[in-house]
Amino acid sequence: MRVGVLTGGGDCPGLNAVIRGVVRKGVQEYGYAFTGYRDGWRGPLDGDSVPLDIPAVRGILPRGGTILGSSRTNPLRAENGIRRIKDNLAKAEIDALIAIGGEDTLGVAATLSDEYGVPCVGVPKTIDNDLSATDYTFGFDTAVGIATEAIDRLHTTAESHMRVLVVEVMGRHAGWIALHSGLAGGANVILIPEQRFDVEQVCAWVTSRFRASYAPIVVVAEGAMPKDGEMVLKDGTLDSFGHVRLSGVGEWLAKTIEQRTGKEARTTVLGHVQRGGTPSAFDRWLATRFGLHAIDAVRDGDFGKMVALRGTDIVRVPIAEATAKLKTVDPELYREVGVFFG
């Protein structure tokens, strides 16, 4: 059997660990051969591939990014996209395809598997932790750790200048990174997409913090929105999956806080630093286990499924189910941390 592997969407710490787990077990235990496709779905779309074997995956466990490259290519929008993928897979004698990615990458895999008979197995990847059907996605723990360290560092400079520091973190339409890093970093305000925020309340929390002779840290997810207004964006450009580029709310919020409170405010946008660098120990562990179980699903012919973490067990769920809706922060969980605001 020959198995294709691709990594799609935004890069993420732990991608290489999945590739390593898939190849090591697939070669050593099942005698499979592997082909890596470059740059996500662009690889099978254009027939751009590289051989994958055990020497190719040596030493990649702690490396960030992906040795296969990634992209946000949407083959469902490409001219003759489905036919080109099927033809290229047939030409390369690919018997199964492992797609490692988030909502968009796996959405394509679900369509190919369920509607066009392409044998696909999915592996959930996103720092946003917003894929339903799995407790955690690899990459999330690393992103939270990076954001928490940044918040820790910003406390000292905020106190030195008695400024408001607004920290904008990633997460798109889910507030998991903001909630976890904000709580772990001792933020005084945490704003998430699931709960529209009241600017006056934010300013009241900021003022309360200054009255206690401390400088406030405000953590805001890039998709958070004010109650009276729309999502703040730097521009309205869309990617090939129709998603708008997020970012801008942090800068807008800092200016608004400064205007309304008279306190100096600055913005730190963590951006892509949250996705880069070496993966945490947890993400290496989870990504490796996902890889091992993904190749088991291929062996079992259990296609159209995604491996998922439930408790400490790795299970299989339909890819279509896992991508049907976003996993967002429960309002009760958000209320739980509200005791620390202000």
Side-chain angles (χ1 to χ4, degrees), residues 258-283:
E258 189 167 294
Q259 290 168 358
R260 297 195 181 197
T261 66
K263 300 294 186 181
E264 192 176 7
R266 294 287 186 272
T267 309
T268 298
V269 180
L270 295 183
H272 290 79
V273 70
Q274 295 159 93
R275 294 208 313 226
T278 188
S280 67
F282 178 82
D283 281 341

Side-chain angles (χ1 to χ4, degrees), residues 18-29:
V18 180
I19 298 169
R20 173 178 174 267
V22 165
V23 173
R24 284 288 297 269
K25 187 168 189 178
V27 171
Q28 292 176 194
E29 296 200 8

Side-chain angles (χ1 to χ4, degrees), residues 15 103 160 167 254 273:
L15 284 167
E103 173 193 6
S160 296
V167 186
V273 70

Side-chain angles (χ1 to χ4, degrees), residues 213-283:
S213 299
Y214 290 100
I217 299 285
V218 178
V219 173
V220 57
E222 61 186 358
M225 292 182 287
K227 282 185 177 178
D228 301 321
E230 300 300 320
M231 184 176 291
V232 181
L233 302 171
K234 283 187 175 179
D235 62 67
T237 56
L238 304 177
D239 65 19
S240 62
F241 288 93
H243 300 310
V244 69
R245 291 177 58 189
L246 299 183
S247 188
V249 66
E251 185 177 345
W252 174 86
L253 185 60
K255 289 179 179 178
T256 303
I257 290 172
E258 189 167 294
Q259 290 168 358
R260 297 195 181 197
T261 66
K263 300 294 186 181
E264 192 176 7
R266 294 287 186 272
T267 309
T268 298
V269 180
L270 295 183
H272 290 79
V273 70
Q274 295 159 93
R275 294 208 313 226
T278 188
S280 67
F282 178 82
D283 281 341

Side-chain angles (χ1 to χ4, degrees), residues 79-247:
E79 185 177 356
N80 298 319
I82 302 298
R83 181 185 58 77
R84 287 162 60 188
I85 285 178
K86 295 185 73 172
D87 288 349
N88 285 325
L89 292 179
K91 189 182 302 182
E93 299 182 334
I94 300 296
D95 300 295
L97 188 62
I98 295 177
I100 311 165
E103 173 193 6
D104 298 323
T105 301
L106 295 181
V108 172
T111 299
L112 289 174
S113 183
D114 297 344
E115 298 182 24
Y116 297 98
V118 178
C120 294
V121 168
V123 176
K125 173 262 358 165
T126 169
I127 66 167
D128 303 333
N129 197 41
D130 60 359
L131 274 174
S132 59
T134 184
D135 290 349
Y136 286 98
T137 53
F138 67 88
F140 171 68
D141 184 70
T142 303
V144 168
I146 291 169
T148 301
E149 182 181 356
I151 295 166
D152 287 345
R153 292 177 180 275
L154 290 170
H155 273 290
T156 59
T157 189
E159 297 292 347
S160 296
H161 295 276
M162 290 305 288
R163 291 172 175 159
V164 183
L165 283 184
V166 177
V167 186
E168 182 182 299
V169 300
M170 285 181 161
R172 294 201 61 78
H173 304 293
W176 295 108
I177 295 177
L179 187 70
H180 281 240
S181 64
L183 182 61
N188 309 108
V189 181
I190 302 171
L191 306 175
I192 62 175
E194 293 87 345
Q195 299 287 323
R196 283 181 174 256
F197 61 87
D198 184 336
V199 174
E200 289 299 326
Q201 178 63 73
V202 172
C203 290
W205 283 326
V206 165
T207 302
S208 172
R209 182 70 174 174
F210 277 116
R211 280 200 297 266
S213 299
Y214 290 100
I217 299 285
V218 178
V219 173
V220 57
E222 61 186 358
M225 292 182 287
K227 282 185 177 178
D228 301 321
E230 300 300 320
M231 184 176 291
V232 181
L233 302 171
K234 283 187 175 179
D235 62 67
T237 56
L238 304 177
D239 65 19
S240 62
F241 288 93
H243 300 310
V244 69
R245 291 177 58 189
L246 299 183
S247 188

Side-chain angles (χ1 to χ4, degrees), residues 121-124 132-136 285-286 289-298 300 302 304-319 321-322:
V121 168
V123 176
S132 59
T134 184
D135 290 349
Y136 286 98
W285 174 86
L286 180 58
R289 291 192 70 202
F290 276 163
L292 298 177
H293 283 262
I295 197 61
D296 285 347
V298 170
D300 296 341
D302 199 6
K305 298 292 182 62
M306 181 192 86
V307 293
L309 179 68
R310 297 277 179 84
T312 58
D313 296 328
I314 306 295
V315 300
R316 300 173 193 168
V317 298
I319 301 175
E321 174 189 318

